[in-house]
Amino acid sequence: MKIKFTLNKKKVTAEVESTERLIDLLRNKFQLMGTKEGCSIGECGACTILMDGKAVNSCLVLAEQIEGAEIITIEGIADGEQLHPIQENFIKAGAIQCGFCTPGMVVSSYELLNENPEPNEEEIKEAIAGNLCRCTGYKQIIDAVKISAEQLRDSK
Amino acid sequence: MKDFNYIQPDSLSQAGKYLSNRNNDAVILSGGTDLLSLIKENIYTNENVVNLKTIPNLNNIKYKKGEGLTIGALTKISDVAESKIIKEKFTVLAEAAKEIASLQLRNMGTVGGNICQRPRCWYYREDFDCIKKGGGECFAYQGENKYHCIIGGGPCYIVHPSDLAVALTALDAKVKLFFDDSSRIIPIHEFFILPEDDYLFENILRDGEIVTEIIIPDLPDGAKSSYIKIKERETWDFAVVSAAAVISKKGSNIKSGKIAYGGVAPIPWTEEIINKSLKNLNADKNEIEKISKIILADAEPLEKNKYKVILAKNLVKRILTNLVLDA
C-alpha cells in the first residue's frame, strides 16, 4: 500500500507492508537512525516520535496508520546542523551517557515544553516517565529540561 | 509478527458489515498499544486487522447538564485526562486516565481499547497453554499468583487491567455497542463477565461487535469522586489494587455513594452491601473504619496475594477519608 505523510516538514510517500511498523519505515526506508528500538512493546520510549504533535511510541504504530499524519523525529527537532536548545542543554548538563535513550528523551521533553513552557519538577518527571534511561542519569536529564524551559521562555 | 491484511473502513457501517462476517477472521485495531503486542507474541493470529481509528465522529467528549457525559470509544486516554469538564465534574475518570501507563501510551490508547484490553497475567502473555488460551488449567492458581485475583476467580484467576473500567463502574456508566448495522446499550456491570461464565473472554462482546460510546449519567451538583491506584513501580504500572469512589453529600452526611475496586477481581469489582451502607451515612472516622473492615469480606486470596486484601481495605479508608473528612 502506498501512503502519503509529512516527515520532518517534508511531504513524502512510501510503499509499505501491512505488518510494517512506523519505526521500521523511519529507520529502514528513510534511514533516520536517531529513532531507536529498545523494548518493542511501548515500555522504554527509545522509539518516541511526534505524531500530529503528540509523543507516541513508533514501535506500536503500523506504518499504514500514519496516512496523512505529520511525523517529527529527532532529526526534525534540530534545525539542520544547528541543534535545538533542548539538545544543547542535554550536552551541557551531562544528560547523555550511552546515548541510547537520548533521542526519545529529547522528543518527550520537546512535547512537554511545547505544551507547558513552565513545568515544575513533577511535571518534567511525568513527561519523561515513558522513557527509560538504563544508565539511570535521570537527575541530569531533568536538569537539562529545566534549563531548556528557562532558556526557551527567555528567548520568546 | 504473523502476516495480516490491513483493512481500513471509511464508516462505522462499513466496519460493522466487515466485522460481523465470521468468515473474515478479523480483529479490531484502535490505539494498538495492546493489540500490536498481542500480535507480536502470536497470542492473536487473525488474518485481518480492521483499523477503526479513521472512522469519523467516534472521538468526541460531550456533556449536557442533567443528561450527563458521552465519550466516543476512539477518544484518546490523554484527552480524557486533560478534559476540563471531566476533571471538574467526573474527577474519578480524569484521575484514572492520568494514572494509565506513560504519556506516549495515553496519546495512542483509546477509551474503547482500554476497557477491552486483555489481561496482564504472565501465564496468558507468555508461552503457557493456559485456560484463557484454550488450554486445560490456570497456572496461576497454584503458581506465581502475587498479582492475581482475590475474589471472583475460577477457573481463571486474572485481574482486569483497566483503570478506566473501575472508574466507569463507580460512575454507573453504560456502554454502547454496534453490531452489523444496529446498536444496543448495556450497563457496564453487564459488559464485564466473570471467568465462571466465560473464561476465554472478559466481556460480552460478540465476534465483530464494536464498542462505540461510553455514556455516563450526570452527577448531582456537589458530588465528589476520586481514584487511587497502588502500583509496585511508582512511575507507571498496572494497578496492584485500585479504588474509585463517587460520593454525594448532604451536609456532613453521605447521601449516597459507590465504590469500585481494581486489581482484585477478573472484572471491576463493586459490593452492593458496601454501597448500601454508604447511604445516608454519618461519615465520621469510626464509620469509615467500620466500612473499611467489612469490604471484600468474601475474599479468597491465593497463596501469594493475601496482601491485596489489606491494601484494598486501607485504600477504601483512604479514599473515603479524602473525600468526606478532609473535604
Side-chain angles (χ1 to χ4, degrees):
Chain A
M1 184 183 163
K2 197 173 182 183
I3 57 164
K4 281 189 223 167
F5 64 105
T6 308
L7 178 58
N8 296 331
K9 296 187 178 135
K10 284 195 193 105
K11 290 203 184 315
V12 295
T13 57
E15 191 65 42
V16 299
E17 303 290 323
S18 63
T19 51
E20 194 169 341
R21 303 164 306 161
L22 177 53
I23 186 167
D24 305 324
L25 179 68
L26 294 172
R27 289 181 58 91
N28 302 341
K29 293 222 172 101
F30 288 97
Q31 300 293 309
L32 295 172
M33 300 305 208
T35 305
K36 306 295 183 205
E37 179 159 18
C39 71
S40 320
I41 51 171
E43 288 186 1
C44 78
C47 68
T48 303
I49 54 102
L50 295 178
M51 182 167 168
D52 295 326
K54 297 281 183 187
V56 302
N57 303 114
S58 61
C59 73
L60 291 179
V61 178
L62 292 174
E64 283 177 289
Q65 283 176 289
I66 62 162
E67 170 69 36
E70 192 169 317
I71 304 295
I72 306 257
T73 67
I74 184 72
E75 290 87 352
I77 284 178
D79 182 8
E81 294 290 298
Q82 179 63 44
L83 293 182
H84 188 275
I86 297 173
Q87 293 170 304
E88 298 274 8
N89 289 319
F90 264 64
I91 298 169
K92 277 187 212 150
I96 302 167
Q97 290 180 62
C98 84
F100 197 82
C101 75
T102 311
M105 285 284 183
V106 171
V107 173
S108 292
S109 308
Y110 180 87
E111 188 204 332
L112 170 73
L113 299 183
N114 266 348
E115 295 190 357
N116 178 2
E118 281 183 70
N120 59 34
E121 186 156 331
E122 274 315 299
E123 288 166 331
I124 296 173
K125 284 184 186 171
E126 208 181 285
I128 60 166
N131 297 80
L132 284 181
C133 168
R134 299 313 303 261
C135 311
T136 70
Y138 291 104
K139 166 83 172 61
Q140 289 82 351
I141 293 170
I142 293 163
D143 288 346
V145 181
K146 275 188 200 163
I147 307 165
S148 304
E150 281 168 31
Q151 207 177 314
L152 289 166
R153 281 202 306 274
D154 291 346
S155 69
K156 269 181 190 163
Chain B
M1 205 187 278
K2 184 185 163 284
D3 208 15
F4 54 79
N5 303 310
Y6 180 85
I7 313 288
Q8 178 69 77
D10 298 325
S11 66
L12 190 57
S13 159
Q14 210 182 51
K17 287 261 173 320
Y18 188 86
L19 285 161
S20 60
N21 182 346
R22 302 197 106 195
N23 296 329
N24 280 338
D25 183 28
V27 64
I28 293 172
L29 169 72
S30 58
T33 53
D34 192 20
L35 183 69
L36 291 195
S37 299
L38 291 163
I39 293 175
K40 230 181 103 220
E41 298 299 330
N42 289 321
I43 298 170
Y44 278 27
T45 53
N46 303 67
E47 277 171 35
N48 301 296
V49 171
V50 181
N51 180 30
L52 299 185
K53 215 48 200 286
T54 50
I55 295 177
N57 303 320
L58 284 179
N59 58 355
N60 302 314
I61 297 172
K62 287 182 202 150
Y63 173 70
K64 203 165 175 199
K65 198 168 164 53
E67 285 181 18
L69 186 74
T70 58
I71 305 173
L74 295 181
T75 306
K76 284 187 289 189
I77 292 164
S78 52
D79 291 334
V80 172
E82 286 154 26
S83 156
K84 193 163 170 274
I85 184 70
I86 298 179
K87 277 202 265 188
E88 274 172 23
K89 187 94 193 177
F90 303 90
T91 317
V92 60
L93 192 59
E95 288 180 356
K98 210 173 169 199
E99 280 282 357
I100 295 168
S102 65
L103 180 67
Q104 287 95 321
L105 294 168
R106 291 194 294 276
N107 279 339
M108 304 164 79
T110 63
V111 172
N114 186 266
I115 67 168
C116 296
Q117 66 182 302
R118 303 310 307 274
R120 304 307 306 181
C121 169
W122 39 38
Y123 297 106
Y124 173 72
R125 295 274 166 173
E126 301 292 329
D127 205 8
F128 289 85
D129 197 11
C130 80
I131 189 164
K132 195 168 263 306
K133 288 186 284 196
E137 66 174 300
C138 171
F139 296 97
Y141 183 60
Q142 289 187 314
E144 291 302 327
N145 49 38
K146 182 179 173 188
Y147 302 113
H148 291 74
C149 71
I150 53 172
I151 198 161
C156 160
Y157 288 83
I158 58 145
V159 292
H160 201 280
S162 167
D163 291 300
L164 293 185
V166 181
L168 292 171
T169 299
L171 287 164
D172 279 326
K174 294 188 174 79
V175 186
K176 193 171 179 182
L177 308 174
F178 185 85
F179 184 73
D180 196 1
D181 226 345
S182 64
S183 287
R184 61 175 175 148
I185 294 173
I186 56 161
I188 195 149
H189 66 86
E190 288 177 20
F191 179 73
F192 294 107
I193 44 172
L194 284 171
E196 63 188 36
D197 296 319
D198 186 350
Y199 51 78
L200 294 176
F201 300 101
E202 298 82 54
N203 57 53
I204 57 150
L205 281 180
R206 287 175 287 178
D207 250 358
E209 204 164 22
I210 308 168
V211 174
T212 54
E213 196 172 73
I214 307 293
I215 302 162
I216 301 168
D218 206 3
L219 292 173
D221 284 336
K224 298 180 73 169
S225 64
S226 173
Y227 185 77
I228 307 181
K229 174 175 173 179
I230 305 290
K231 297 162 287 191
E232 205 167 47
R233 174 172 169 253
E234 192 50 41
T235 316
W236 64 274
D237 207 343
F238 290 89
V240 172
V241 176
S242 69
V246 180
I247 300 287
S248 297
K249 280 174 79 177
K250 195 176 184 183
S252 62
N253 285 7
I254 293 177
K255 200 172 149 210
S256 64
K258 187 160 184 175
I259 303 178
Y261 327 104
V264 299
I267 57 173
W269 199 253
T270 185
E271 297 178 302
E272 269 324 299
I273 182 169
I274 302 297
N275 299 331
K276 273 190 191 141
S277 69
L278 290 173
K279 223 172 169 87
N280 300 317
L281 180 79
N282 179 15
D284 57 15
K285 214 174 151 208
N286 279 339
E287 292 296 330
I288 290 176
E289 185 76 39
K290 268 194 220 163
I291 286 181
S292 73
K293 285 222 166 90
I294 58 165
I295 77 144
L296 297 175
D298 299 328
E300 288 177 341
L302 302 167
E303 196 193 340
K304 294 178 178 172
N305 64 15
K306 294 180 180 67
Y307 71 101
K308 282 194 177 190
V309 182
I310 303 162
L311 266 184
K313 286 176 190 287
N314 280 324
L315 203 51
V316 165
K317 194 154 91 180
R318 211 167 108 195
I319 204 163
L320 286 178
T321 305
N322 288 351
L323 283 176
V324 183
L325 299 184
D326 296 348

